[in-house]
Amino acid sequence: MAEILQKDGMWTFDGDTIRIVPGRERGVHVMRQTVGELAVPLVAVAGIAFEPGRKSGRLRLRLRDGADPLSQVTRGRLADVADPYQLVVESDRSGVAEYFVDEVRNALLLEQVPAGPTDRYLLPGPAVPLSVGAGDGTVAFDGERVRLEWNWTTEESKSSAGPQELPLAQIASVEWLPSAGLENGYLRFTVTGAQPKLSPKHDPYAVELFGFKKDPLMALAASAVTVRMPHPYAPVAPVAEPAAPALAPGGKEAAAPVPAGSQDADHDALLRRLRELGELHHAGVLTEEEFSAAKQAVLKRF
């Protein structure tokens, strides 16, 4: 077993799982302490590296795309101090960190773990129910419904409508963006059939983030919802060939019964999938060729 213990936390590796326990020192970021202990299966790992420094180094774990809902939401935009997949290593423990890296890399080679995307989440995401307050609101999620409540900093045009409740089935996508410079961040829920997006300051389905320490916690709320939505790389089910039409007496084709609302439900699901593909393409996850092929596959199902 490989193990490294620092003030920043402890990482252990038993050949199958990397167990990450955050430190409880005052300097450990609230995000990492809130996430708590993580058990990362080897099959979810894309790579690991140690970056030495003059006073301290940094151990970094990189997960496969689509393996972890939190990484899927944050997309590398978490600050280093808030990232649960990083560990600050004191200079006198750099040899231990390098040994830890070698052990994980050797296991990846022996198990032939692919570095490419996965078609299902390999980590469970945050436990629910959860409630997170930051920026101009609070997000609560019980596994089936998101509730947004506002505070005294909320713009009146948004708070005047009161709290918002969003069933999971109506949420088409979730987007988290941290503050950068003078630009505020946000957590936004895109709702099926909603009006065009407003600025987070006025959007009743978005929490505006002001760049404070607790802002990254909103990424936990986003990942708890994301893990319960269709996976972005899940294989598209093949379209079944239509059955031969039944014939009514006299040889005429009989009309097949259509369940009420089924066509509308299928149509909404396909539109939601197209939006997801567009967001993945815009974010650079899908290449132009991959996006075109996936889009054509969805369009053929209309």
PDB file of all heavy atoms in Angstrom, residues 3-4 6 8 10-12 18 48-52 56-62 80 83-89 93-94 96-102 104:
ATOM      1  N   GLU A   3       1.057   5.363   0.747  1.00  0.00           N
ATOM      2  CA  GLU A   3       0.370   6.311   1.627  1.00  0.00           C
ATOM      3  C   GLU A   3       1.197   7.571   1.769  1.00  0.00           C
ATOM      4  O   GLU A   3       2.421   7.519   1.844  1.00  0.00           O
ATOM      5  CB  GLU A   3       0.131   5.673   2.996  1.00  0.00           C
ATOM      6  CG  GLU A   3      -0.539   6.596   4.007  1.00  0.00           C
ATOM      7  CD  GLU A   3      -0.738   5.912   5.344  1.00  0.00           C
ATOM      8  OE1 GLU A   3      -1.705   5.144   5.464  1.00  0.00           O
ATOM      9  OE2 GLU A   3       0.105   6.134   6.246  1.00  0.00           O
ATOM     10  N   ILE A   4       0.502   8.708   1.762  1.00  0.00           N
ATOM     11  CA  ILE A   4       1.177   9.976   2.042  1.00  0.00           C
ATOM     12  C   ILE A   4       0.282  10.794   2.956  1.00  0.00           C
ATOM     13  O   ILE A   4      -0.909  11.002   2.674  1.00  0.00           O
ATOM     14  CB  ILE A   4       1.525  10.745   0.745  1.00  0.00           C
ATOM     15  CG1 ILE A   4       2.227  12.051   1.095  1.00  0.00           C
ATOM     16  CG2 ILE A   4       0.298  10.975  -0.133  1.00  0.00           C
ATOM     17  CD1 ILE A   4       2.888  12.720  -0.097  1.00  0.00           C
ATOM     18  N   GLN A   6      -0.129  14.404   5.047  1.00  0.00           N
ATOM     19  CA  GLN A   6       0.303  15.787   5.151  1.00  0.00           C
ATOM     20  C   GLN A   6      -0.730  16.594   5.946  1.00  0.00           C
ATOM     21  O   GLN A   6      -1.849  16.117   6.204  1.00  0.00           O
ATOM     22  CB  GLN A   6       0.455  16.401   3.752  1.00  0.00           C
ATOM     23  CG  GLN A   6       1.546  15.776   2.896  1.00  0.00           C
ATOM     24  CD  GLN A   6       2.928  16.138   3.385  1.00  0.00           C
ATOM     25  OE1 GLN A   6       3.485  17.170   3.022  1.00  0.00           O
ATOM     26  NE2 GLN A   6       3.491  15.291   4.229  1.00  0.00           N
ATOM     27  N   ASP A   8      -2.325  18.941   4.773  1.00  0.00           N
ATOM     28  CA  ASP A   8      -3.384  19.202   3.806  1.00  0.00           C
ATOM     29  C   ASP A   8      -4.347  18.021   3.663  1.00  0.00           C
ATOM     30  O   ASP A   8      -5.446  18.167   3.137  1.00  0.00           O
ATOM     31  CB  ASP A   8      -2.745  19.519   2.446  1.00  0.00           C
ATOM     32  CG  ASP A   8      -3.675  20.299   1.535  1.00  0.00           C
ATOM     33  OD1 ASP A   8      -4.456  21.124   2.050  1.00  0.00           O
ATOM     34  OD2 ASP A   8      -3.637  20.074   0.313  1.00  0.00           O
ATOM     35  N   MET A  10      -4.644  13.284   3.628  1.00  0.00           N
ATOM     36  CA  MET A  10      -3.983  11.986   3.493  1.00  0.00           C
ATOM     37  C   MET A  10      -4.529  11.262   2.270  1.00  0.00           C
ATOM     38  O   MET A  10      -5.748  11.214   2.052  1.00  0.00           O
ATOM     39  CB  MET A  10      -4.222  11.137   4.740  1.00  0.00           C
ATOM     40  CG  MET A  10      -3.575   9.746   4.661  1.00  0.00           C
ATOM     41  SD  MET A  10      -3.765   8.801   6.205  1.00  0.00           S
ATOM     42  CE  MET A  10      -5.532   8.472   6.158  1.00  0.00           C
ATOM     43  N   TRP A  11      -3.617  10.707   1.459  1.00  0.00           N
ATOM     44  CA  TRP A  11      -3.978   9.874   0.317  1.00  0.00           C
ATOM     45  C   TRP A  11      -3.400   8.478   0.544  1.00  0.00           C
ATOM     46  O   TRP A  11      -2.235   8.335   0.931  1.00  0.00           O
ATOM     47  CB  TRP A  11      -3.412  10.435  -0.984  1.00  0.00           C
ATOM     48  CG  TRP A  11      -4.083  11.694  -1.471  1.00  0.00           C
ATOM     49  CD1 TRP A  11      -4.835  12.558  -0.739  1.00  0.00           C
ATOM     50  CD2 TRP A  11      -4.033  12.227  -2.794  1.00  0.00           C
ATOM     51  NE1 TRP A  11      -5.261  13.604  -1.523  1.00  0.00           N
ATOM     52  CE2 TRP A  11      -4.785  13.422  -2.793  1.00  0.00           C
ATOM     53  CE3 TRP A  11      -3.421  11.814  -3.970  1.00  0.00           C
ATOM     54  CZ2 TRP A  11      -4.943  14.209  -3.932  1.00  0.00           C
ATOM     55  CZ3 TRP A  11      -3.573  12.595  -5.118  1.00  0.00           C
ATOM     56  CH2 TRP A  11      -4.330  13.771  -5.098  1.00  0.00           C
ATOM     57  N   THR A  12      -4.217   7.451   0.282  1.00  0.00           N
ATOM     58  CA  THR A  12      -3.740   6.073   0.328  1.00  0.00           C
ATOM     59  C   THR A  12      -4.161   5.355  -0.935  1.00  0.00           C
ATOM     60  O   THR A  12      -5.185   5.691  -1.543  1.00  0.00           O
ATOM     61  CB  THR A  12      -4.302   5.323   1.551  1.00  0.00           C
ATOM     62  OG1 THR A  12      -5.734   5.328   1.485  1.00  0.00           O
ATOM     63  CG2 THR A  12      -3.863   5.985   2.851  1.00  0.00           C
ATOM     64  N   ILE A  18      -7.969   4.804  -4.725  1.00  0.00           N
ATOM     65  CA  ILE A  18      -7.261   5.918  -4.094  1.00  0.00           C
ATOM     66  C   ILE A  18      -8.231   6.560  -3.107  1.00  0.00           C
ATOM     67  O   ILE A  18      -9.291   7.063  -3.506  1.00  0.00           O
ATOM     68  CB  ILE A  18      -6.787   6.958  -5.129  1.00  0.00           C
ATOM     69  CG1 ILE A  18      -5.829   6.317  -6.119  1.00  0.00           C
ATOM     70  CG2 ILE A  18      -6.130   8.142  -4.430  1.00  0.00           C
ATOM     71  CD1 ILE A  18      -5.428   7.234  -7.256  1.00  0.00           C
ATOM     72  N   ILE A  48      -1.917  10.855 -12.996  1.00  0.00           N
ATOM     73  CA  ILE A  48      -1.508  11.442 -11.721  1.00  0.00           C
ATOM     74  C   ILE A  48      -0.137  12.055 -11.914  1.00  0.00           C
ATOM     75  O   ILE A  48       0.680  11.562 -12.704  1.00  0.00           O
ATOM     76  CB  ILE A  48      -1.500  10.378 -10.591  1.00  0.00           C
ATOM     77  CG1 ILE A  48      -1.237  11.024  -9.235  1.00  0.00           C
ATOM     78  CG2 ILE A  48      -0.488   9.279 -10.881  1.00  0.00           C
ATOM     79  CD1 ILE A  48      -1.431  10.081  -8.060  1.00  0.00           C
ATOM     80  N   ALA A  49       0.136  13.152 -11.204  1.00  0.00           N
ATOM     81  CA  ALA A  49       1.428  13.823 -11.353  1.00  0.00           C
ATOM     82  C   ALA A  49       1.800  14.505 -10.046  1.00  0.00           C
ATOM     83  O   ALA A  49       0.929  14.880  -9.250  1.00  0.00           O
ATOM     84  CB  ALA A  49       1.369  14.854 -12.480  1.00  0.00           C
ATOM     85  N   PHE A  50       3.113  14.655  -9.851  1.00  0.00           N
ATOM     86  CA  PHE A  50       3.619  15.424  -8.721  1.00  0.00           C
ATOM     87  C   PHE A  50       4.422  16.586  -9.265  1.00  0.00           C
ATOM     88  O   PHE A  50       5.325  16.406 -10.088  1.00  0.00           O
ATOM     89  CB  PHE A  50       4.495  14.559  -7.816  1.00  0.00           C
ATOM     90  CG  PHE A  50       5.171  15.350  -6.727  1.00  0.00           C
ATOM     91  CD1 PHE A  50       4.419  16.002  -5.760  1.00  0.00           C
ATOM     92  CD2 PHE A  50       6.554  15.456  -6.674  1.00  0.00           C
ATOM     93  CE1 PHE A  50       5.032  16.750  -4.756  1.00  0.00           C
ATOM     94  CE2 PHE A  50       7.179  16.193  -5.677  1.00  0.00           C
ATOM     95  CZ  PHE A  50       6.414  16.844  -4.715  1.00  0.00           C
ATOM     96  N   GLU A  51       4.085  17.785  -8.809  1.00  0.00           N
ATOM     97  CA  GLU A  51       4.783  18.993  -9.245  1.00  0.00           C
ATOM     98  C   GLU A  51       5.595  19.531  -8.075  1.00  0.00           C
ATOM     99  O   GLU A  51       5.028  20.115  -7.139  1.00  0.00           O
ATOM    100  CB  GLU A  51       3.771  20.041  -9.717  1.00  0.00           C
ATOM    101  CG  GLU A  51       2.893  19.568 -10.871  1.00  0.00           C
ATOM    102  CD  GLU A  51       1.752  20.531 -11.166  1.00  0.00           C
ATOM    103  OE1 GLU A  51       1.613  21.522 -10.421  1.00  0.00           O
ATOM    104  OE2 GLU A  51       1.011  20.280 -12.130  1.00  0.00           O
ATOM    105  N   PRO A  52       6.901  19.333  -8.063  1.00  0.00           N
ATOM    106  CA  PRO A  52       7.722  19.809  -6.943  1.00  0.00           C
ATOM    107  C   PRO A  52       7.852  21.333  -6.962  1.00  0.00           C
ATOM    108  O   PRO A  52       7.758  21.970  -8.012  1.00  0.00           O
ATOM    109  CB  PRO A  52       9.068  19.120  -7.183  1.00  0.00           C
ATOM    110  CG  PRO A  52       9.107  18.868  -8.657  1.00  0.00           C
ATOM    111  CD  PRO A  52       7.688  18.624  -9.081  1.00  0.00           C
ATOM    112  N   SER A  56       7.021  23.845  -1.265  1.00  0.00           N
ATOM    113  CA  SER A  56       6.098  22.710  -1.224  1.00  0.00           C
ATOM    114  C   SER A  56       5.747  22.317  -2.649  1.00  0.00           C
ATOM    115  O   SER A  56       5.850  23.132  -3.579  1.00  0.00           O
ATOM    116  CB  SER A  56       4.827  23.051  -0.445  1.00  0.00           C
ATOM    117  OG  SER A  56       4.119  24.107  -1.067  1.00  0.00           O
ATOM    118  N   GLY A  57       5.347  21.072  -2.807  1.00  0.00           N
ATOM    119  CA  GLY A  57       4.912  20.597  -4.120  1.00  0.00           C
ATOM    120  C   GLY A  57       3.424  20.328  -4.113  1.00  0.00           C
ATOM    121  O   GLY A  57       2.723  20.594  -3.136  1.00  0.00           O
ATOM    122  N   ARG A  58       2.951  19.796  -5.215  1.00  0.00           N
ATOM    123  CA  ARG A  58       1.508  19.549  -5.334  1.00  0.00           C
ATOM    124  C   ARG A  58       1.282  18.226  -6.061  1.00  0.00           C
ATOM    125  O   ARG A  58       1.824  18.005  -7.140  1.00  0.00           O
ATOM    126  CB  ARG A  58       0.826  20.694  -6.081  1.00  0.00           C
ATOM    127  CG  ARG A  58      -0.693  20.659  -6.001  1.00  0.00           C
ATOM    128  CD  ARG A  58      -1.277  21.946  -6.558  1.00  0.00           C
ATOM    129  NE  ARG A  58      -0.985  23.078  -5.708  1.00  0.00           N
ATOM    130  CZ  ARG A  58      -1.748  23.458  -4.688  1.00  0.00           C
ATOM    131  NH1 ARG A  58      -2.841  22.756  -4.397  1.00  0.00           N
ATOM    132  NH2 ARG A  58      -1.442  24.517  -3.979  1.00  0.00           N
ATOM    133  N   LEU A  59       0.513  17.365  -5.425  1.00  0.00           N
ATOM    134  CA  LEU A  59       0.113  16.093  -6.011  1.00  0.00           C
ATOM    135  C   LEU A  59      -1.235  16.306  -6.687  1.00  0.00           C
ATOM    136  O   LEU A  59      -2.179  16.806  -6.067  1.00  0.00           O
ATOM    137  CB  LEU A  59       0.015  15.041  -4.908  1.00  0.00           C
ATOM    138  CG  LEU A  59      -0.023  13.563  -5.290  1.00  0.00           C
ATOM    139  CD1 LEU A  59       1.201  13.156  -6.090  1.00  0.00           C
ATOM    140  CD2 LEU A  59      -0.134  12.713  -4.032  1.00  0.00           C
ATOM    141  N   ARG A  60      -1.334  15.941  -7.953  1.00  0.00           N
ATOM    142  CA  ARG A  60      -2.566  16.174  -8.715  1.00  0.00           C
ATOM    143  C   ARG A  60      -3.082  14.860  -9.290  1.00  0.00           C
ATOM    144  O   ARG A  60      -2.330  14.124  -9.928  1.00  0.00           O
ATOM    145  CB  ARG A  60      -2.338  17.156  -9.867  1.00  0.00           C
ATOM    146  CG  ARG A  60      -1.921  18.561  -9.451  1.00  0.00           C
ATOM    147  CD  ARG A  60      -1.717  19.440 -10.679  1.00  0.00           C
ATOM    148  NE  ARG A  60      -1.187  20.751 -10.354  1.00  0.00           N
ATOM    149  CZ  ARG A  60      -1.943  21.827 -10.119  1.00  0.00           C
ATOM    150  NH1 ARG A  60      -3.264  21.709 -10.196  1.00  0.00           N
ATOM    151  NH2 ARG A  60      -1.387  22.991  -9.834  1.00  0.00           N
ATOM    152  N   LEU A  61      -4.370  14.620  -9.087  1.00  0.00           N
ATOM    153  CA  LEU A  61      -5.034  13.451  -9.654  1.00  0.00           C
ATOM    154  C   LEU A  61      -5.958  13.917 -10.760  1.00  0.00           C
ATOM    155  O   LEU A  61      -6.765  14.832 -10.572  1.00  0.00           O
ATOM    156  CB  LEU A  61      -5.838  12.728  -8.566  1.00  0.00           C
ATOM    157  CG  LEU A  61      -6.460  11.385  -8.954  1.00  0.00           C
ATOM    158  CD1 LEU A  61      -5.379  10.352  -9.229  1.00  0.00           C
ATOM    159  CD2 LEU A  61      -7.375  10.894  -7.844  1.00  0.00           C
ATOM    160  N   ARG A  62      -5.840  13.302 -11.929  1.00  0.00           N
ATOM    161  CA  ARG A  62      -6.697  13.659 -13.066  1.00  0.00           C
ATOM    162  C   ARG A  62      -7.631  12.487 -13.349  1.00  0.00           C
ATOM    163  O   ARG A  62      -7.186  11.356 -13.533  1.00  0.00           O
ATOM    164  CB  ARG A  62      -5.842  13.981 -14.296  1.00  0.00           C
ATOM    165  CG  ARG A  62      -6.647  14.451 -15.507  1.00  0.00           C
ATOM    166  CD  ARG A  62      -5.721  15.035 -16.572  1.00  0.00           C
ATOM    167  NE  ARG A  62      -4.699  14.097 -16.969  1.00  0.00           N
ATOM    168  CZ  ARG A  62      -4.862  13.203 -17.953  1.00  0.00           C
ATOM    169  NH1 ARG A  62      -6.013  13.135 -18.624  1.00  0.00           N
ATOM    170  NH2 ARG A  62      -3.882  12.386 -18.269  1.00  0.00           N
ATOM    171  N   ASP A  80      -6.999  25.879  -7.018  1.00  0.00           N
ATOM    172  CA  ASP A  80      -6.180  24.776  -6.510  1.00  0.00           C
ATOM    173  C   ASP A  80      -6.497  24.460  -5.048  1.00  0.00           C
ATOM    174  O   ASP A  80      -6.591  23.289  -4.661  1.00  0.00           O
ATOM    175  CB  ASP A  80      -4.692  25.114  -6.645  1.00  0.00           C
ATOM    176  CG  ASP A  80      -4.212  25.021  -8.088  1.00  0.00           C
ATOM    177  OD1 ASP A  80      -4.980  24.538  -8.942  1.00  0.00           O
ATOM    178  OD2 ASP A  80      -3.075  25.435  -8.357  1.00  0.00           O
ATOM    179  N   ASP A  83      -9.721  22.390  -4.757  1.00  0.00           N
ATOM    180  CA  ASP A  83      -9.829  21.161  -5.545  1.00  0.00           C
ATOM    181  C   ASP A  83      -9.565  19.937  -4.668  1.00  0.00           C
ATOM    182  O   ASP A  83      -8.470  19.770  -4.139  1.00  0.00           O
ATOM    183  CB  ASP A  83      -8.822  21.212  -6.696  1.00  0.00           C
ATOM    184  CG  ASP A  83      -9.041  20.106  -7.716  1.00  0.00           C
ATOM    185  OD1 ASP A  83      -9.699  19.102  -7.372  1.00  0.00           O
ATOM    186  OD2 ASP A  83      -8.560  20.247  -8.853  1.00  0.00           O
ATOM    187  N   PRO A  84     -10.555  19.042  -4.504  1.00  0.00           N
ATOM    188  CA  PRO A  84     -10.337  17.862  -3.651  1.00  0.00           C
ATOM    189  C   PRO A  84      -9.360  16.858  -4.233  1.00  0.00           C
ATOM    190  O   PRO A  84      -8.921  15.947  -3.528  1.00  0.00           O
ATOM    191  CB  PRO A  84     -11.737  17.261  -3.527  1.00  0.00           C
ATOM    192  CG  PRO A  84     -12.464  17.713  -4.746  1.00  0.00           C
ATOM    193  CD  PRO A  84     -11.922  19.068  -5.049  1.00  0.00           C
ATOM    194  N   TYR A  85      -9.016  17.000  -5.523  1.00  0.00           N
ATOM    195  CA  TYR A  85      -8.113  16.048  -6.171  1.00  0.00           C
ATOM    196  C   TYR A  85      -6.681  16.587  -6.253  1.00  0.00           C
ATOM    197  O   TYR A  85      -5.914  16.205  -7.125  1.00  0.00           O
ATOM    198  CB  TYR A  85      -8.645  15.694  -7.550  1.00  0.00           C
ATOM    199  CG  TYR A  85     -10.016  15.055  -7.482  1.00  0.00           C
ATOM    200  CD1 TYR A  85     -11.141  15.712  -7.959  1.00  0.00           C
ATOM    201  CD2 TYR A  85     -10.189  13.804  -6.898  1.00  0.00           C
ATOM    202  CE1 TYR A  85     -12.401  15.140  -7.871  1.00  0.00           C
ATOM    203  CE2 TYR A  85     -11.444  13.221  -6.799  1.00  0.00           C
ATOM    204  CZ  TYR A  85     -12.546  13.896  -7.289  1.00  0.00           C
ATOM    205  OH  TYR A  85     -13.791  13.329  -7.189  1.00  0.00           O
ATOM    206  N   GLN A  86      -6.352  17.482  -5.314  1.00  0.00           N
ATOM    207  CA  GLN A  86      -4.987  17.983  -5.187  1.00  0.00           C
ATOM    208  C   GLN A  86      -4.552  17.901  -3.734  1.00  0.00           C
ATOM    209  O   GLN A  86      -5.382  17.990  -2.823  1.00  0.00           O
ATOM    210  CB  GLN A  86      -4.894  19.430  -5.672  1.00  0.00           C
ATOM    211  CG  GLN A  86      -5.212  19.612  -7.149  1.00  0.00           C
ATOM    212  CD  GLN A  86      -4.863  20.994  -7.645  1.00  0.00           C
ATOM    213  OE1 GLN A  86      -3.919  21.609  -7.149  1.00  0.00           O
ATOM    214  NE2 GLN A  86      -5.610  21.487  -8.617  1.00  0.00           N
ATOM    215  N   LEU A  87      -3.253  17.727  -3.543  1.00  0.00           N
ATOM    216  CA  LEU A  87      -2.705  17.638  -2.189  1.00  0.00           C
ATOM    217  C   LEU A  87      -1.403  18.431  -2.130  1.00  0.00           C
ATOM    218  O   LEU A  87      -0.501  18.207  -2.947  1.00  0.00           O
ATOM    219  CB  LEU A  87      -2.433  16.177  -1.813  1.00  0.00           C
ATOM    220  CG  LEU A  87      -1.845  15.942  -0.421  1.00  0.00           C
ATOM    221  CD1 LEU A  87      -2.898  16.210   0.660  1.00  0.00           C
ATOM    222  CD2 LEU A  87      -1.312  14.513  -0.284  1.00  0.00           C
ATOM    223  N   VAL A  88      -1.309  19.352  -1.176  1.00  0.00           N
ATOM    224  CA  VAL A  88      -0.065  20.100  -0.963  1.00  0.00           C
ATOM    225  C   VAL A  88       0.919  19.201  -0.225  1.00  0.00           C
ATOM    226  O   VAL A  88       0.589  18.630   0.822  1.00  0.00           O
ATOM    227  CB  VAL A  88      -0.334  21.384  -0.157  1.00  0.00           C
ATOM    228  CG1 VAL A  88       0.983  22.094   0.153  1.00  0.00           C
ATOM    229  CG2 VAL A  88      -1.266  22.311  -0.935  1.00  0.00           C
ATOM    230  N   VAL A  89       2.127  19.076  -0.779  1.00  0.00           N
ATOM    231  CA  VAL A  89       3.145  18.169  -0.227  1.00  0.00           C
ATOM    232  C   VAL A  89       4.352  18.994   0.216  1.00  0.00           C
ATOM    233  O   VAL A  89       4.917  19.760  -0.574  1.00  0.00           O
ATOM    234  CB  VAL A  89       3.576  17.130  -1.284  1.00  0.00           C
ATOM    235  CG1 VAL A  89       4.655  16.217  -0.716  1.00  0.00           C
ATOM    236  CG2 VAL A  89       2.371  16.322  -1.751  1.00  0.00           C
ATOM    237  N   ARG A  93       8.814  15.668   1.858  1.00  0.00           N
ATOM    238  CA  ARG A  93       8.036  14.461   1.559  1.00  0.00           C
ATOM    239  C   ARG A  93       7.875  14.250   0.058  1.00  0.00           C
ATOM    240  O   ARG A  93       7.037  13.451  -0.376  1.00  0.00           O
ATOM    241  CB  ARG A  93       6.649  14.561   2.210  1.00  0.00           C
ATOM    242  CG  ARG A  93       6.664  14.800   3.697  1.00  0.00           C
ATOM    243  CD  ARG A  93       7.329  13.661   4.447  1.00  0.00           C
ATOM    244  NE  ARG A  93       6.474  12.472   4.470  1.00  0.00           N
ATOM    245  CZ  ARG A  93       6.852  11.295   4.917  1.00  0.00           C
ATOM    246  NH1 ARG A  93       8.101  11.118   5.344  1.00  0.00           N
ATOM    247  NH2 ARG A  93       6.008  10.271   4.924  1.00  0.00           N
ATOM    248  N   SER A  94       8.676  14.940  -0.734  1.00  0.00           N
ATOM    249  CA  SER A  94       8.564  14.827  -2.185  1.00  0.00           C
ATOM    250  C   SER A  94       8.878  13.406  -2.658  1.00  0.00           C
ATOM    251  O   SER A  94       8.276  12.910  -3.607  1.00  0.00           O
ATOM    252  CB  SER A  94       9.488  15.842  -2.871  1.00  0.00           C
ATOM    253  OG  SER A  94      10.839  15.624  -2.501  1.00  0.00           O
ATOM    254  N   VAL A  96       8.208  10.619  -1.102  1.00  0.00           N
ATOM    255  CA  VAL A  96       7.023   9.806  -0.844  1.00  0.00           C
ATOM    256  C   VAL A  96       5.967  10.077  -1.920  1.00  0.00           C
ATOM    257  O   VAL A  96       5.303   9.155  -2.409  1.00  0.00           O
ATOM    258  CB  VAL A  96       6.454  10.105   0.552  1.00  0.00           C
ATOM    259  CG1 VAL A  96       5.188   9.291   0.808  1.00  0.00           C
ATOM    260  CG2 VAL A  96       7.495   9.825   1.622  1.00  0.00           C
ATOM    261  N   ALA A  97       5.828  11.355  -2.303  1.00  0.00           N
ATOM    262  CA  ALA A  97       4.851  11.710  -3.336  1.00  0.00           C
ATOM    263  C   ALA A  97       5.209  11.067  -4.676  1.00  0.00           C
ATOM    264  O   ALA A  97       4.337  10.566  -5.392  1.00  0.00           O
ATOM    265  CB  ALA A  97       4.774  13.232  -3.482  1.00  0.00           C
ATOM    266  N   GLU A  98       6.506  11.068  -5.013  1.00  0.00           N
ATOM    267  CA  GLU A  98       6.930  10.455  -6.272  1.00  0.00           C
ATOM    268  C   GLU A  98       6.701   8.942  -6.252  1.00  0.00           C
ATOM    269  O   GLU A  98       6.321   8.349  -7.270  1.00  0.00           O
ATOM    270  CB  GLU A  98       8.397  10.788  -6.529  1.00  0.00           C
ATOM    271  CG  GLU A  98       8.616  12.262  -6.872  1.00  0.00           C
ATOM    272  CD  GLU A  98      10.079  12.658  -6.887  1.00  0.00           C
ATOM    273  OE1 GLU A  98      10.923  11.809  -6.476  1.00  0.00           O
ATOM    274  OE2 GLU A  98      10.388  13.799  -7.286  1.00  0.00           O
ATOM    275  N   TYR A  99       6.924   8.311  -5.105  1.00  0.00           N
ATOM    276  CA  TYR A  99       6.656   6.876  -4.975  1.00  0.00           C
ATOM    277  C   TYR A  99       5.156   6.609  -5.161  1.00  0.00           C
ATOM    278  O   TYR A  99       4.766   5.638  -5.827  1.00  0.00           O
ATOM    279  CB  TYR A  99       7.120   6.386  -3.606  1.00  0.00           C
ATOM    280  CG  TYR A  99       6.688   4.967  -3.296  1.00  0.00           C
ATOM    281  CD1 TYR A  99       7.317   3.878  -3.880  1.00  0.00           C
ATOM    282  CD2 TYR A  99       5.645   4.720  -2.398  1.00  0.00           C
ATOM    283  CE1 TYR A  99       6.911   2.571  -3.606  1.00  0.00           C
ATOM    284  CE2 TYR A  99       5.230   3.425  -2.112  1.00  0.00           C
ATOM    285  CZ  TYR A  99       5.870   2.359  -2.718  1.00  0.00           C
ATOM    286  OH  TYR A  99       5.463   1.075  -2.436  1.00  0.00           O
ATOM    287  N   PHE A 100       4.321   7.452  -4.570  1.00  0.00           N
ATOM    288  CA  PHE A 100       2.871   7.305  -4.693  1.00  0.00           C
ATOM    289  C   PHE A 100       2.460   7.387  -6.168  1.00  0.00           C
ATOM    290  O   PHE A 100       1.664   6.572  -6.660  1.00  0.00           O
ATOM    291  CB  PHE A 100       2.172   8.399  -3.886  1.00  0.00           C
ATOM    292  CG  PHE A 100       0.700   8.182  -3.683  1.00  0.00           C
ATOM    293  CD1 PHE A 100       0.217   7.612  -2.525  1.00  0.00           C
ATOM    294  CD2 PHE A 100      -0.214   8.549  -4.661  1.00  0.00           C
ATOM    295  CE1 PHE A 100      -1.138   7.407  -2.333  1.00  0.00           C
ATOM    296  CE2 PHE A 100      -1.572   8.354  -4.486  1.00  0.00           C
ATOM    297  CZ  PHE A 100      -2.038   7.780  -3.327  1.00  0.00           C
ATOM    298  N   VAL A 101       3.026   8.347  -6.875  1.00  0.00           N
ATOM    299  CA  VAL A 101       2.727   8.510  -8.306  1.00  0.00           C
ATOM    300  C   VAL A 101       3.126   7.262  -9.082  1.00  0.00           C
ATOM    301  O   VAL A 101       2.371   6.763  -9.929  1.00  0.00           O
ATOM    302  CB  VAL A 101       3.448   9.757  -8.861  1.00  0.00           C
ATOM    303  CG1 VAL A 101       3.394   9.775 -10.394  1.00  0.00           C
ATOM    304  CG2 VAL A 101       2.819  11.027  -8.315  1.00  0.00           C
ATOM    305  N   ASP A 102       4.324   6.750  -8.809  1.00  0.00           N
ATOM    306  CA  ASP A 102       4.791   5.548  -9.513  1.00  0.00           C
ATOM    307  C   ASP A 102       3.865   4.364  -9.279  1.00  0.00           C
ATOM    308  O   ASP A 102       3.580   3.584 -10.202  1.00  0.00           O
ATOM    309  CB  ASP A 102       6.215   5.191  -9.064  1.00  0.00           C
ATOM    310  CG  ASP A 102       7.258   6.165  -9.583  1.00  0.00           C
ATOM    311  OD1 ASP A 102       6.940   6.889 -10.552  1.00  0.00           O
ATOM    312  OD2 ASP A 102       8.364   6.219  -9.011  1.00  0.00           O
ATOM    313  N   VAL A 104       0.632   4.339  -8.565  1.00  0.00           N
ATOM    314  CA  VAL A 104      -0.639   4.503  -9.290  1.00  0.00           C
ATOM    315  C   VAL A 104      -0.418   4.312 -10.788  1.00  0.00           C
ATOM    316  O   VAL A 104      -1.205   3.628 -11.463  1.00  0.00           O
ATOM    317  CB  VAL A 104      -1.252   5.882  -9.000  1.00  0.00           C
ATOM    318  CG1 VAL A 104      -2.504   6.101  -9.846  1.00  0.00           C
ATOM    319  CG2 VAL A 104      -1.593   6.014  -7.519  1.00  0.00           C
TER     320      VAL A 104
END
